[in-house]
Amino acid sequence: MAKTKTVFFCQNCGTSYPKWQGQCQSCKSWNTIVEEVVEKPTSNEVWKATKSLDNTSTHKTPLLLSDIKIGTKQYRLDTKSSEFNRVLGGGLVPGSMILLGGEPGIGKSTLLLQICLNLPFKSLYVSGEESIEQIKMRAVRMPKSSSDLCYLYSGNKTHDIFKQITKIKPEILIIDSIQTLSTDSIDAAPGSVSQIRECTNELLYFAKKTHTPVLLIGHITKDGHLAGPKVLEHLVDTVLQFEGDRNFVYRILRSQKNRFGSTSELGIYQMQSNGLEEVHNPSELFLSKKDEAHSGTTVATIMEGMRAILIEIQALVSSAVYGTPQRSTTGYSTKRLNMLLAVLEKRAGFKLGAKDVFLNITGGMDTEDPATDLAVIAAILSSNEDEPIDDSFCFAAEVGLTGEIRPISKIEQRINEAQKLGFTKMFISKYSKFNEQNYHIELIKISKIEELINALFEV
Ligand code: TYD
Ligand code: MG
């Protein structure tokens, strides 16, 4: 039996060391070095298997940019899922490798299985976590529960997977998850730094050689980073993050890195009993439909990536029961709330110092967009005065320390969204610059907090 050899790997950058040390010399991070058993590959059959696959276009000499032809082959593959295409920057690029990360139970497997079922071309879904019967049970819950083009395979050896690939010749490969894979060429445990790196390299080689897109599901660690070496993120072309609060139905698919598109696009989904449903009009998800007007509720326009979303803000101002008034927020920064309360006190003369103030963004959304400031102030004033604000009004402006109402970015997109959803009045900064002729919604331009108070409560 071959002598076992152990090597110490940095989990952050993947550098190897012959013995343990506290700090990685290469990336300077502390306590990231772990011991792993490794055996040098003898005969690497897996590589031979991948090399026997379709062998096209590798250029030995440099070519002029203008001489390079992308080819007649369609450059982006349509996944038939508009949200997924949008996040990828218009579809799957052949030969690209995509890593999808997210907390356990957030819906990663569900998302990719659902995409496979809708694909108009042959796909292979490899699961190292579930049996094919379990995957089938999941598929049965989905709106399109079967497909003649979706192959399922349960296994975790790259060698076996490549064998199946040569037989089936899928046009897209899904791996659920990269942490469960292992290759025979090294002897480390699945999920270890060297295994993850080696398996990813083999899959990357396959993707680039055969122009097949490969989607990897990746686990994340308890502090929210993708598990495995940081090099994994460098190796792949696209890193997607699937996130959301498990107590709420909506899920957001963000792109953290994308070699073939913008990272500011995001996809919004809703987790239902029959799988994930795409949300084309996110504002409807976050705005509650009410029959009566309540004080303390306003609507703000925020930007999530390139999309404008309207969200509801609720404030409750009440006399403090205890000596020190409470300031509590959900989905919003408490520091920012304190700042806005100080501005209201100093610039508009509202004595809120002895009152409890609670602020909540409904639907489990959270935001740091400064454009919510005006809506937050309006909600606080409305609750303080116990005067409801018309539910067809919305707000989009930042509030400065001097009490001035400041313009915000992408105002036109925000106005468009508000107009589309049937809002009648939108409060914006007097200094916002855009072409006003394009809109029929009534725009109320203000420059100071006093003007907001006059416009809302007509005192
Ligand atoms: P899953 O895709 O297994 O998550 P991940 O792969 O990210 O760990 O999703 C699991 C959760 O999704 C599970 O808690 C139940 C829920 N779910 C639904 O609500 N509806 C469905 O149709 C499916 C398939 C799952
Ligand atoms: Mg899963």
Side-chain angles (χ1 to χ4, degrees), residues 6-10 15-19 21 23-26 33:
T6 62
V7 174
F8 294 81
F9 282 104
C10 168
T15 314
S16 62
Y17 297 94
K19 61 181 173 50
Q21 55 194 61
Q23 189 187 20
C24 171
Q25 280 162 3
S26 157
I33 296 175

Side-chain angles (χ1 to χ4, degrees), residues 103-110 138 141-142 271-275:
E103 284 188 20
I106 206 74
K108 303 179 291 298
S109 309
T110 309
R138 183 197 294 266
R141 296 170 72 175
M142 294 172 180
M271 182 59 99
Q272 303 289 26
S273 57
N274 57 350

Side-chain angles (χ1 to χ4, degrees), residues 266-283:
L266 73 155
I268 303 179
Y269 294 87
Q270 225 173 331
M271 182 59 99
Q272 303 289 26
S273 57
N274 57 350
L276 287 157
E277 190 187 307
E278 298 189 350
V279 177
H280 299 294
N281 201 349
S283 303

Side-chain angles (χ1 to χ4, degrees), residues 147-308:
S147 158
D148 294 337
L149 296 164
C150 176
Y151 287 85
L152 300 179
Y153 178 69
S154 175
N156 45 27
K157 289 263 181 250
T158 50
H159 182 92
D160 299 337
I161 296 169
F162 286 122
K163 260 196 208 156
Q164 302 310 320
I165 289 172
T166 13
K167 257 192 254 160
I168 295 171
K169 298 198 172 52
E171 285 176 70
I172 176 170
L173 174 68
I174 318 282
I175 303 286
D176 185 3
S177 63
I178 185 69
Q179 278 84 3
T180 56
L181 285 199
S182 66
T183 164
D184 287 336
S185 60
I186 58 169
D187 206 14
S192 61
V193 178
S194 41
Q195 275 294 4
I196 293 178
R197 197 177 41 183
E198 199 60 27
C199 294
T200 311
N201 269 323
E202 285 178 12
L203 290 165
L204 190 66
Y205 185 84
F206 159 74
K208 302 292 169 205
K209 263 282 186 265
T210 62
H211 301 283
T212 310
V214 176
L215 285 142
L216 307 175
I217 291 182
H219 293 169
I220 59 167
T221 58
K222 60 177 185 306
D223 41 336
H225 300 295
L226 276 154
K230 202 84 190 148
V231 278
L232 186 61
E233 284 167 60
H234 291 294
L235 283 175
V236 300
D237 298 302
T238 306
V239 180
L240 303 179
Q241 186 81 23
F242 204 33
E243 52 188 48
D245 188 329
R246 251 180 292 168
N247 297 322
F248 291 96
V249 288
Y250 81 91
R251 303 279 183 267
I252 294 182
L253 184 68
R254 282 179 207 279
S255 135
Q256 291 185 340
K257 161 186 172 178
N258 194 352
R259 287 191 182 141
F260 312 114
S262 140
T263 51
S264 51
E265 284 293 2
L266 73 155
I268 303 179
Y269 294 87
Q270 225 173 331
M271 182 59 99
Q272 303 289 26
S273 57
N274 57 350
L276 287 157
E277 190 187 307
E278 298 189 350
V279 177
H280 299 294
N281 201 349
S283 303
E284 282 177 1
L285 193 65
F286 299 109
L287 296 179
S288 57
K289 291 167 195 70
K290 303 180 289 273
D291 294 334
E292 308 168 48
H294 296 287
S295 66
T297 304
T298 53
V299 174
T301 55
I302 60 162
M303 294 300 297
E304 271 289 352
M306 298 299 285
R307 293 164 90 171

